[in-house]
């Protein structure tokens, strides 16, 4: 780049996430789905070989997608393309950076590559999004360089209850932190297992220093609007669109409900004529080892 | 004076905060009825492809086009793309608001890897640090007044009631572009 400029600063990385706010990011497995997502008004697509519902059903080790698949999807759309790497797999992340995807998701939906360490995301010019189930986890990911946080929910279930639990937990813990006095923040940092400076910043500003989306179980327009009303900056929809009866209509309806999240009349109309929602699995029926949200630490 | 910020998608909240900081009433605009309540409109950064699709899908494009014909509109980044008369790199069927007689290239500096922070210089010598994120580039500013440059290239321009900027002032707390826009709105009201 020419003089008088600095690339890939933290601001520039979190800035792209700021531009995604109020938007819906959809999982897609091929170019055709990516175009449906873009036409429906999705703000970005997550390129995958299998949506989480299929990863869950088929089992086996889930890894980064094939570069050819990513290239095909990137060529098909003009909105940003995200892709997932396994937790801790920094070489998969190097590969995605080499392929010039716009955003990397270090995701619990794939099989973890490292059960101790997450990726040192400061080593990369590409911004990262990471999952979190509570404030401490979110702050640890931000400390490692994440430019965006998404609450984890329980991917591939179509059951929104875990997404609700995680966004409520994160935002509730931020509110509780804001009410603490300065001399209580040192022990708050210890409890959250996060750096004091970051804990103090969140307490002072009353929000995370990066954008906070919701993921994992959003399947209907009302689900998306509920997440927005609770304070999410936007939503990820994984299996919810392309595992439903009418993906074209459902994708557009979820986008509309995300923009007009405070308008029940609009959400009601958007909920009409969508065909069947994804059948889904109740999270409470999942035996503990199969809960993806428990991956990551 | 009440300035609307198009809030279909993108960082409308940062623009509303900037307006509040400058002592101007702001309103998030999502519907025709919201639009009728404002004297001017800011089209924020976001994804230009997405905002364009949403303007069409939510039946708001004709009203916003009408608004931009006579009332002050500021477009930043995605907003600049949407008010440009000619855009290179947009989807073939992309609907634009148009009105600003410039030729703009979408993502002209490259993808996210080439996003950057930089200092821009305004005509009166003011400089501010701003962000260029998957930014568009003004290839031909036509008959527009150049408001700001970066490396001798135009990055903010004005034509009649319209201002377009390829950068994000709202992410770094830069206020000068918004002050110029508020002056334009005041001129239009008097």
């Amino acid at each position: 780049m020419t003089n008088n400029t600095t690339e890939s600063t933290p601001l520039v990385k979190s800035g792209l996430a700021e531009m995604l706010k109020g938007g819906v990011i959809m999982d897609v497995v091929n170019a055709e789905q990516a175009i449906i997502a873009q036409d429906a008004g999705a703000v970005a697509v997550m390129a995958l070989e299998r949506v989480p519902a299929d990863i869950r059903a088929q089992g086996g080790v889930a890894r980064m997608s094939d570069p050819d698949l990513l290239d095909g999807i990137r060529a098909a759309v003009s909105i940003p393309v995200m892709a997932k790497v396994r937790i801790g797999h920094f070489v998969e992340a190097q590969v995605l950076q080499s392929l010039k995807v716009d955003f990397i998701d270090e995701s619990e939906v794939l099989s973890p590559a490292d059960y101790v360490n997450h990726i040192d995301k400061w080593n990369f010019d590409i911004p990262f999004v990471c999952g979190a189930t509570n404030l401490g986890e979110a702050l640890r990911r931000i400390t490692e360089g994440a430019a965006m946080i998404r609450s984890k929910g329980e991917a591939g279930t179509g059951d929104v209850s875990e997404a609700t639990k995680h966004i409520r937990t994160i935002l509730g813990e931020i509110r509780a932190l804001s009410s603490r006095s300065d001399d209580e923040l040192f022990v708050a940092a210890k409890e959250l297992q996060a750096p004091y400076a970051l804990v103090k910043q969140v307490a002072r500003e009353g929000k995370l220093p990066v954008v906070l989306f919701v993921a994992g179980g959003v399947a209907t327009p009302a689900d998306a609007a509920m997440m927005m009303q609770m304070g999410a900056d936007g939503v990820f929809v994984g299996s919810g669109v392309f595992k439903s009866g009418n993906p074209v209509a459902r994708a557009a309806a979820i986008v509309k409900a995300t923009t007009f999240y405070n308008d029940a009349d609009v959400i009601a109309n958007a909920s009409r004529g969508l065909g069947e929602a994804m059948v889904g699995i109740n999270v409470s029926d999942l035996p503990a080892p199969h809960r993806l949200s428990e991956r990551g630490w | 004076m009440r300035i609307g910020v198009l809030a279909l998608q993108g960082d409308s909240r940062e623009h509303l905060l900037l307006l509040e900081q400058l002592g101007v009433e702001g309103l998030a605009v999502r519907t025709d009825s919201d639009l009728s309540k404002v004297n001017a409109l800011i089209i924020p950064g976001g994804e230009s492809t997405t905002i364009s699709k949403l303007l069409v899908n939510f039946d708001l494009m004709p009203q916003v086009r009408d608004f931009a014909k006579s009332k002050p509109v500021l477009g930043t980044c995605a907003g600049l793309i949407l008010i440009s008369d000619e855009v290179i790199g947009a989807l073939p069927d992309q609907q634009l608001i148009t009105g600003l007689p410039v030729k703009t290239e979408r993502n002209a500096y490259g993808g996210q890897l080439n996003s950057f922070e930089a200092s821009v210089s305004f005509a009166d010598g003011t400089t501010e640090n701003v962000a260029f994120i998957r930014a568009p580039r003004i290839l031909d500013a036509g008959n527009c007044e150049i408001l700001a440059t970066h490396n001798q290239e135009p990055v903010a321009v004005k034509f009649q009631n319209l201002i377009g900027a390829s950068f994000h002032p709202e992410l770094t707390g830069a206020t000068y572009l918004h002050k110029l826009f508020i002056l334009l709105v005041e001129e239009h009201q008097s």
Side-chain angles (χ1 to χ4, degrees), chain A residues 176-177 179-189 191 196 199:
Chain A
L177 201 57
S179 69
R180 291 219 193 179
S181 63
D182 277 357
D183 63 355
E184 293 170 333
L185 293 178
F186 300 101
V187 80
E191 288 162 3
Y196 168 73
V199 168

Side-chain angles (χ1 to χ4, degrees), chain A residues 32-107:
Chain A
E32 184 193 357
Q33 290 185 354
I35 291 167
I36 289 174
Q38 175 169 278
D39 283 343
V43 74
V45 291
M46 178 74 68
L48 289 161
E49 282 177 358
R50 296 182 286 170
V51 294
D54 289 335
I55 292 174
R56 192 179 281 292
Q58 295 161 7
V61 175
R63 310 179 179 88
M64 178 190 79
S65 298
D66 184 306
D68 288 339
L69 175 108
L70 297 177
D71 284 350
I73 289 173
R74 283 185 60 226
V77 293
S78 75
I79 54 178
V81 175
M82 300 183 166
K84 289 183 193 289
V85 297
R86 287 178 266 177
I87 289 173
H89 205 314
F90 52 87
V91 174
E92 283 189 347
Q94 290 165 7
V95 170
L96 290 188
Q97 175 158 292
S98 157
L99 295 172
K100 297 189 167 57
V101 302
D102 294 292
F103 231 106
I104 294 174
D105 184 2
E106 186 181 18
S107 177

Side-chain angles (χ1 to χ4, degrees), chain B residues 108-130:
Chain B
Y109 297 93
Q112 176 60 17
L113 274 178
N114 305 105
S115 293
F116 58 98
E117 278 180 66
S119 170
V120 297
S121 310
F122 287 88
D124 69 352
T126 303
T127 60
E128 283 196 307
N129 185 52
V130 298

Side-chain angles (χ1 to χ4, degrees), chain A residues 2 6 9 19 21 39 78, chain B residues 9-10 14 49 53 117 151:
Chain A
T2 46
T6 40
T9 62
M19 295 313 130
K21 279 196 302 201
D39 283 343
S78 75
Chain B
Q9 188 277 313
E14 282 62 33
T49 309
K53 297 263 183 206
E117 278 180 66
N151 288 339

